[in-house]
Amino acid sequence: MSLPRFHVPEKLAPGSQLRLPDNAAAHASRSLRMQVGNEAILFNGDGNDYLCTLTSVGKHEVNVKISSVLVNERESPLRITLAQAISTGDRMDFSIQKSVELGVTAIQPIASQRSMVKLSGERAEKRREHWQNVVISACEQSGRAIVPEVGAPLSLSDWLARNTAPQLRLTLSPVAEQCLHQLAKPETDICLLIGAEGGLTQDEITLASQHGFIPVRLGQRILRTETAPIAAISAIQTLWGDFSA
């Protein structure tokens, strides 16, 4: 049985003693009913796992001591950025959660023309923090020790103007001429652009193509905004990543 995993956003090292963050402490003591002497895994996003032992357990405080550092080899060999147009309800959370489980390395929320949720200022930052917590929970569950970063929401044009890194840039279209498996294995990072409900507008599709995005086909069916990234990332990992390992 795998050990519980908790994210601790601070420097970790064998021999150090620390107090778990409030959310992690509540989960350990109340949900998991862990006791003194139980072991757990801590991670802070540096790529390593840290084995620890609980030294005290209270209703509101849990203390641990780190015994060793463990190499974590659960990262995909691919570096995939998901540029996801902001969707409504739980769809955005679902897309982010599952894409992290599937191995993406960064997530960029896009305020697309068809996004029904409009965010700005403090509300946008609170939403970004919420999505970052969704990422952390997905890392805890999936065993990842590197935490993908969620960027601040940007319009497609603003994001494209800032994003100049060399990438294989992909969008999905059921009428695209190329299938994903017809592309050569990329030697650079991969960026996947997914539209919101109703997809990208024609202006956004044109703008994306001007910035090097290639439309590819995953079958002939139209996928929902929360289904599309999962299907595409799974296919990418199967073709070029670690799903075939």
Side-chain angles (χ1 to χ4, degrees), residues 62-80:
V62 175
N63 293 288
V64 303
K65 181 176 181 179
I66 298 175
S67 56
S68 61
V69 59
L70 308 172
V71 176
N72 185 307
E73 297 181 341
R74 292 193 177 96
E75 291 303 312
S76 169
L78 305 176
R79 291 185 54 82
I80 305 171

Side-chain angles (χ1 to χ4, degrees), residues 123-197:
R123 185 163 177 253
E125 177 54 24
K126 286 184 176 179
R127 207 65 196 153
R128 190 204 66 79
E129 291 175 357
H130 167 78
W131 290 327
Q132 191 67 61
N133 286 329
V134 172
V135 168
I136 290 170
S137 295
C139 288
E140 289 177 337
Q141 182 276 324
S142 62
R144 295 185 62 178
I146 292 178
V147 180
E149 181 178 355
V150 180
L154 294 171
S155 69
L156 181 60
S157 58
D158 286 347
W159 175 67
L160 289 172
R162 301 183 188 191
N163 182 29
T164 58
Q167 297 169 319
L168 172 62
R169 302 182 172 196
L170 304 174
T171 57
L172 302 182
S173 170
V175 297
E177 295 181 0
Q178 295 187 90
C179 293
L180 188 64
H181 68 81
Q182 293 175 311
L183 301 178
K185 182 176 181 178
E187 298 181 358
T188 61
D189 297 349
I190 300 168
C191 183
L192 177 65
L193 173 61
I194 301 293
E197 298 93 338

Side-chain angles (χ1 to χ4, degrees), residues 3-29 32 34-44 49-58 60-68:
L3 295 175
R5 303 181 79 254
F6 303 113
H7 179 254
V8 179
E10 60 183 84
K11 185 177 181 180
L12 303 175
S16 62
Q17 301 183 58
L18 57 105
R19 175 180 173 178
L20 292 184
D22 291 344
N23 288 343
H27 186 56
S29 63
L32 301 178
M34 297 181 72
Q35 304 294 323
V36 171
N38 289 167
E39 292 183 323
I41 298 294
L42 308 181
F43 69 102
N44 62 2
D49 284 340
Y50 296 84
L51 181 65
C52 73
T53 302
L54 276 62
T55 57
S56 68
V57 179
H60 305 290
E61 182 175 328
V62 175
N63 293 288
V64 303
K65 181 176 181 179
I66 298 175
S67 56
S68 61

